[in-house]
Amino acid sequence: MATQKDKTLSGQKLLIVEPLNVKYDDGGKPTGFGNTGRAIVALDVVGCGEGQLVLVVQGSSARMCDATKNLPADAAIVGIVDSAAFAGKAIVS
C-alpha cells in the first residue's frame, strides 16, 4: 500500500518483484533460476500471487496494455508463467 501516490495509481496493486537469471551447471546446461539481488516495483495487471513466476515488461512497454495506458508506470506484470524451458530443458513447470 502507498499512502502518497499519483491519483491515477489509485486502486492499482504495486508489487516488488526480483528479476531472475538462468543458473547453469559445470557443463553449461541450464539448471534453474538464480536471484539477482535487484528489486523492481511493478504494477500488477494480472492478479498474481506471492511467490509466482511472472513476466514483467519495463519502459514504454509497461504502458501498452489496457490497464496501464496513461499511467506513470515503468514496470508492469503482464503474465504469470506456467512453465518455461531453456535450451530444451524444462526449468519451471
Side-chain angles (χ1 to χ4, degrees):
M1 180 187 308
T3 57
Q4 297 295 319
K5 59 187 172 187
D6 186 279
K7 65 181 177 180
T8 59
L9 292 174
S10 284
Q12 298 294 325
K13 184 176 169 186
L14 301 170
L15 294 178
I16 298 171
V17 295
E18 179 181 6
L20 300 176
N21 60 16
V22 178
K23 291 172 39 177
Y24 299 91
D25 65 15
D26 292 337
K29 297 186 189 248
T31 60
F33 290 117
N35 297 332
T36 60
R38 298 184 315 126
I40 297 171
V41 176
L43 291 171
D44 176 18
V45 300
V46 296
C48 65
E50 185 177 339
Q52 288 186 299
L53 185 62
V54 296
L55 177 63
V56 176
V57 294
Q58 292 183 275
S60 61
S61 296
R63 294 178 298 281
M64 293 181 78
C65 57
D66 289 337
T68 59
K69 283 187 178 168
N70 301 317
L71 291 180
D74 189 51
I77 299 166
V78 296
I80 300 171
V81 177
D82 295 323
S83 63
F86 185 80
K89 179 180 177 180
I91 51 178
V92 174
S93 58

